[in-house]
Amino acid sequence: MADLHRPAAHRLTRVWRNPATAPIAVFVAGAAGAVYLYGTNPHEGGQWLPRCPFQWLTGWLCPACGGTRMVYDLMHGDVAASFADNRALFLVAPFALALLARWGIEGLRGRRWRPQWSRRTQAVVLSTAVTWAIVRNVM
């Protein structure tokens, strides 16, 4: 009886181990979120959108706070408002999208890919995020 289920389980395992599965899942989830966000104005109260846990706990804006409003404004063609929502995230978003695209392309080619960042690069990214969080909360 167990042999009857083995081929289906084997196929499912192959799908989960495929290098393209994770990037495709992230893309589908992001697209679904974008479709929902397009019709949901985060600038107005009463919307069903997640609240930033960092801001909820501390009262401070995290480095990514304003990202939902930024994406909403970009999707509606308001680049100036998008930049005002979160300047740092606005400038970093194209780089992040390029990394996501590379991950997806490599996955579709059957290769696993992870960016290899030096400790110095990691320190620069972390210190930039911390500095941005402090600056946007102090000013």
Side-chain angles (χ1 to χ4, degrees):
M1 188 82 161
D3 290 339
L4 295 175
H5 299 291
R6 181 171 277 177
H10 181 68
R11 283 192 302 262
L12 184 60
T13 301
R14 282 189 10 212
V15 168
W16 285 116
R17 290 185 180 187
N18 186 316
T21 300
I24 289 171
V26 169
F27 176 78
V28 168
V35 167
Y36 174 75
L37 182 60
Y38 189 83
T40 305
N41 188 348
H43 297 285
E44 297 175 358
Q47 304 296 337
W48 190 86
L49 293 167
R51 183 165 181 205
C52 173
F54 181 81
Q55 186 183 22
W56 181 74
L57 286 171
T58 67
W60 279 36
L61 298 172
C62 82
C65 279
T68 304
R69 292 186 306 273
M70 181 194 81
V71 171
Y72 175 85
D73 289 336
L74 271 178
M75 287 193 299
H76 288 84
D78 194 345
V79 177
S82 179
F83 183 73
D85 290 329
N86 189 324
R87 291 162 182 80
L89 197 58
F90 181 89
L91 297 174
V92 171
F95 179 69
L97 290 173
L99 288 175
L100 179 62
R102 171 87 187 271
W103 184 35
I105 289 167
E106 293 298 329
L108 290 172
R109 291 180 177 164
R111 298 188 292 241
R112 296 194 185 285
W113 180 78
R114 275 181 34 189
Q116 300 297 319
W117 291 3
S118 68
R119 289 195 183 270
R120 183 178 178 166
T121 302
Q122 293 173 30
V124 167
V125 169
L126 180 61
S127 62
T128 301
V130 170
T131 302
W132 172 238
I134 292 169
V135 166
R136 72 187 307 206
N137 283 289
V138 172
M139 298 182 121

